[in-house]
Amino acid sequence: MDFKRRVILKAGGALGVLAAAGTWPLQALAKFARPEDAFKAEALDATFAALGGKPEKSDQIDLETPDIAENGAVVPVSVTSKLAGTEQIWLLVEKNPNPLAGGFMIPANTEAFVQTRVKVAQTCDIYAVVKADGKLYMTANETKVTLGGCGG
């Protein structure tokens, strides 16, 4: 079996990796439709609408962002959702040209935690939007930027 796996990996690259891992990555990708309209939206309200509507505020979401970011091109962000049934976590940066910075699918029975870096054009709120049991929830933190990450 190990030999077949190596042959598949050498021959197929990324598709070989998925094939060698089994079908679960393909099933996971099929459930996660990239919301193109949300990524193209140029305003926060339009982004919320494309994700499924205005989220409800929640104290069950922990969003960690720096109070002051010296370089807006690499702002560390981490999100932990304590909401049962968390399915997705989205990160939005209020004053970026396109607010939606990224989305993460959270598999069932796993810790709902993501950590990444985002670009922040200027001082604004960074939002964490969580989809749990089919409903949207959010929290936000303000981050002050001294050197803009989107050309500033």
Side-chain angles (χ1 to χ4, degrees):
M1 170 141 173
D2 189 42
F3 173 73
K4 288 181 185 177
R5 197 158 134 182
R6 286 184 194 181
V7 171
I8 290 171
L9 289 173
K10 280 183 170 180
L15 291 177
V17 171
L18 291 175
T23 60
W24 74 264
L26 298 175
Q27 292 168 346
L29 288 173
K31 292 180 183 178
F32 184 75
R34 179 180 162 93
E36 293 298 330
D37 291 344
F39 278 104
K40 292 177 183 176
E42 296 180 0
L44 199 59
D45 287 338
T47 306
F48 287 146
L51 290 176
K54 180 82 173 172
E56 176 183 321
K57 290 186 180 178
S58 175
D59 61 357
Q60 297 296 301
I61 304 167
D62 293 330
L63 171 62
E64 292 184 29
T65 62
D67 292 331
I68 299 173
E70 290 183 23
N71 183 351
V74 287
V75 178
V77 178
S78 67
V79 181
T80 303
S81 172
K82 298 175 191 169
L83 294 162
T86 295
E87 303 165 29
Q88 296 175 346
I89 297 176
W90 301 97
L91 293 172
L92 290 79
V93 183
E94 179 182 28
K95 293 187 180 175
N96 277 6
N98 300 96
L100 186 55
F104 304 87
M105 189 177 78
I106 308 299
N109 302 316
T110 60
E111 182 180 1
F113 169 79
V114 296
Q115 185 174 32
T116 190
R117 296 181 186 274
V118 296
K119 286 186 176 184
V120 180
Q122 57 185 301
T123 298
C124 65
D125 285 337
I126 297 175
Y127 290 82
V129 175
V130 172
K131 183 177 182 182
D133 290 330
K135 293 178 67 179
L136 295 177
Y137 302 90
M138 74 173 178
T139 192
N141 288 345
E142 182 183 58
T143 294
K144 294 180 170 114
V145 177
T146 59
L147 176 64
C150 295

